[in-house]
Amino acid sequence: MESASLKFREATVKAKPLPRHIGIIMDGNGRWAEGHGRPRLEGHREGSNSVREVTRCARRTGLEALTLYAFSSQNWQRPSLEVAGLMELLREYLLKERREILDNQIRLNAIGELKKLPEYVREPLEALREESAGNTGMTLTLALSYGGREELVRAMRAVAAKVEAGELVAESITNDDIERELWTTDLPPVDLIVRTSGENRVSNFLLWQGAYAEYVFTETLWPDFRAHELLDCIEQFQNRERRFGLTSAQLRAIP
Ligand code: IPE
Ligand code: IPE
Ligand code: MG
């Protein structure tokens, strides 16, 4: 059961325009574990409880899309035992959350160099992706083996191939031609990007897509980031003015 105060806060947040799509850089699991005198992997495990709570809250609040940065292209360089532990946790997550994802009409999606994932992760991932493909409640995207630069290189190769094939003319390449080749092409524009754990950097997350996103950097470590913290971030977003290069006066003049 969710607490009455959480229900009330969700209703308040819902009464104002919501971000359509939130991206979260889930950082600070290692430091959380260290602070509790536990091995790093315990921090990742506790972090998966945050994933569950934040996803539930996002779904209840009515977001269209939530994208969670779970493993970066660069994270492969971590000690092999930590990488293996993270992969095991991912598999466990996909198996354990399957029922809840399907029951809540969530479409599970993934972006990144998915071929690099071990078979024991890719298999349940692809299965749930297929099983939930028709769900229209919210798209939950896991960024796995994801890197924004890696994504852009891949997009540029695809665009270059079209030029080589005579399907596109180099001088006429548009934003849309590039966006079409990104892994996020079927997702709504990302409105808000949150990073936890007090780090003020984007670490290769949604580099192109974040061009006009609002950013919230919070000190909270990911395992401590739950529904109330998500609502705090949405409220910050709702109190901002997105100008997209215009002046405030111009924005007020738009009906
Ligand atoms: C985020 O937590 C999870 C991943 C990057 C996989 P970290 O493991 O980076 O935690 P810190 O930054 O070391 O505290
Ligand atoms: C970013 O966190 C990647 C994920 C949250 C999956 P990192 O902990 O890997 O980022 P850096 O190394 O501090 O930039
Ligand atoms: Mg980190």
Side-chain angles (χ1 to χ4, degrees), residues 3-198:
S3 74
S5 81
L6 182 57
K7 284 246 166 73
F8 178 76
R9 283 198 72 196
E10 285 173 358
T12 311
V13 154
K14 264 169 118 161
K16 285 191 183 175
L18 286 167
R20 293 178 65 190
H21 180 182
I22 299 182
I24 308 184
I25 304 169
M26 310 186 289
D27 197 14
N29 295 349
R31 277 162 286 165
W32 183 92
E34 205 177 296
H36 288 75
R38 287 151 70 177
R40 288 181 63 86
L41 216 53
E42 293 289 310
H44 296 312
R45 185 173 289 283
E46 194 56 32
S48 67
N49 292 327
S50 295
V51 168
R52 182 181 316 110
E53 277 205 25
V54 165
T55 303
R56 280 183 185 160
C57 176
R59 172 73 183 101
R60 283 194 305 263
T61 306
L63 296 190
E64 277 176 58
L66 176 67
T67 297
L68 301 176
Y69 199 11
F71 194 85
S72 73
S73 299
Q74 286 65 38
N75 287 149
W76 291 113
Q77 294 160 50
R78 290 194 178 191
S80 57
L81 267 179
E82 179 166 347
V83 171
L86 279 164
M87 293 300 140
E88 291 283 352
L89 265 179
L90 241 136
R91 176 182 163 83
E92 206 178 288
Y93 168 84
L94 291 162
L95 298 175
K96 267 179 40 188
E97 298 306 309
R98 176 183 166 276
R99 198 62 265 160
E100 170 143 353
I101 284 174
L102 295 175
D103 287 349
N104 286 293
Q105 281 298 304
I106 293 171
R107 177 171 79 95
L108 185 95
N109 180 37
I111 56 173
E113 302 165 302
L114 305 179
K115 286 198 182 80
K116 291 193 178 171
L117 296 171
E119 185 56 30
Y120 66 88
V121 172
R122 228 164 1 133
E123 195 266 323
L125 178 66
E126 289 310 330
L128 191 49
R129 209 146 66 142
E130 272 172 38
E131 236 184 328
S132 67
N135 288 352
T136 53
M138 177 179 85
T139 301
L140 171 63
T141 301
L142 302 178
L144 299 173
S145 190
Y146 174 86
R149 284 186 172 171
E150 285 73 5
E151 179 182 38
L152 283 168
V153 167
R154 187 179 160 276
M156 285 180 201
R157 284 190 187 135
V159 169
K162 282 187 183 168
V163 173
E164 268 178 2
E167 293 166 29
L168 263 183
V169 177
E171 288 72 32
S172 343
I173 293 169
T174 61
N175 280 354
D176 285 348
D177 291 322
I178 294 170
E179 250 161 30
R180 207 169 288 128
E181 303 301 336
L182 300 178
W183 286 313
T184 51
T185 183
D186 60 341
L187 293 175
V190 64
D191 293 316
L192 169 62
I193 293 179
V194 175
R195 183 175 190 142
T196 60
S197 87

